[in-house]
Amino acid sequence: MKNSALVVVDMLYDFIDGSLACLNSKNAVKEAAGFIDSMTSGQEGNSNEEILDTFPILFVCDHHPADHSSFREYGGTWPPHCIQGTHGGAVHEILQPYMQEELTFFKGCDPAVEQYSGFEAANKAGQSLGEILGLLDAENVYVCGIATEYCVRATCEDLKKAGFKVRLLSNALGYVDEAGHRKALEEMKTEGMIIE
Ligand code: VGL
Ligand code: ZN
């Protein structure tokens, strides 16, 4: 049987309560944690490492240098956010117990390049998210995160193109704008993503 995996996109403090705080983010983090519990129930006696063997959880992290070109003062559209080494760039603490170095992927590291999709984000060893999902033989890829209209959508579209069954956890999403979130969900549905 092929495996399932979860991709957690940018559930980072700057998108939750920081410089780029998004709507529904706090609730989305709680929903994501609840989903992880539901997928791993029956494994209460197991360590987080054992849980991750059966249900891998991959984290995508926006990880910008302080002079990134997506920041307003460097010609971009966003306030400074998710700067490498800051609290704002850290994953929410309730999800941290599920993180593993080889399943943590960084994007937006090159100051000159905006990178919304997490598909080519790379772990410390230089392996991409897409590559690792392939190695895990994942068929169903659940996705949650922030922000629906930007990084979540771009990640889902690349996953779909690569042949994964994308299952979007609609209650576990944060967004910049409510109407934009709803429109993106509708469009993603037409593109073949499964809205859970
Ligand atoms: C994102 C804006 C800038 C996102 C990242 O994660 O959706 N949005 N950088
Ligand atoms: Zn960013």
Side-chain angles (χ1 to χ4, degrees), residues 8-22 25 60-72 78-92 105-111 113-116 145-147 150-151:
V8 178
V9 179
D10 288 351
M11 286 192 143
L12 309 169
Y13 284 108
D14 271 339
F15 293 123
I16 297 164
D17 58 9
S19 61
L20 202 35
C22 290
S25 295
V60 172
C61 303
D62 216 27
H63 196 65
H64 296 309
D67 60 351
H68 195 261
S69 57
S70 73
F71 300 168
R72 277 178 204 133
W78 304 108
H81 62 277
C82 302
I83 294 172
Q84 297 167 10
T86 64
H87 170 76
V91 169
H92 193 283
F105 302 86
F106 302 99
K107 63 177 174 66
C109 309
D110 180 339
V113 183
E114 176 60 294
Q115 192 180 15
Y116 286 145
I146 314 169
Y150 298 95
C151 293

Side-chain angles (χ1 to χ4, degrees), residues 24-119:
N24 199 50
S25 295
K26 281 183 194 153
N27 186 51
V29 169
K30 273 188 220 140
E31 290 282 342
F35 176 75
I36 293 171
D37 281 349
S38 75
M39 291 303 274
T40 57
S41 66
Q43 298 190 51
E44 281 80 13
N46 291 346
S47 67
N48 285 331
E49 283 74 24
E50 286 166 326
I51 287 172
L52 288 164
D53 280 344
T54 51
F55 186 57
I57 304 169
L58 295 80
F59 286 84
V60 172
C61 303
D62 216 27
H63 196 65
H64 296 309
D67 60 351
H68 195 261
S69 57
S70 73
F71 300 168
R72 277 178 204 133
E73 59 176 308
Y74 298 97
T77 49
W78 304 108
H81 62 277
C82 302
I83 294 172
Q84 297 167 10
T86 64
H87 170 76
V91 169
H92 193 283
E93 64 177 1
I94 71 167
L95 299 172
Q96 281 185 20
Y98 300 102
M99 294 180 77
Q100 299 192 125
E101 187 178 285
E102 61 273 30
L103 298 183
T104 303
F105 302 86
F106 302 99
K107 63 177 174 66
C109 309
D110 180 339
V113 183
E114 176 60 294
Q115 192 180 15
Y116 286 145
S117 171
F119 192 75

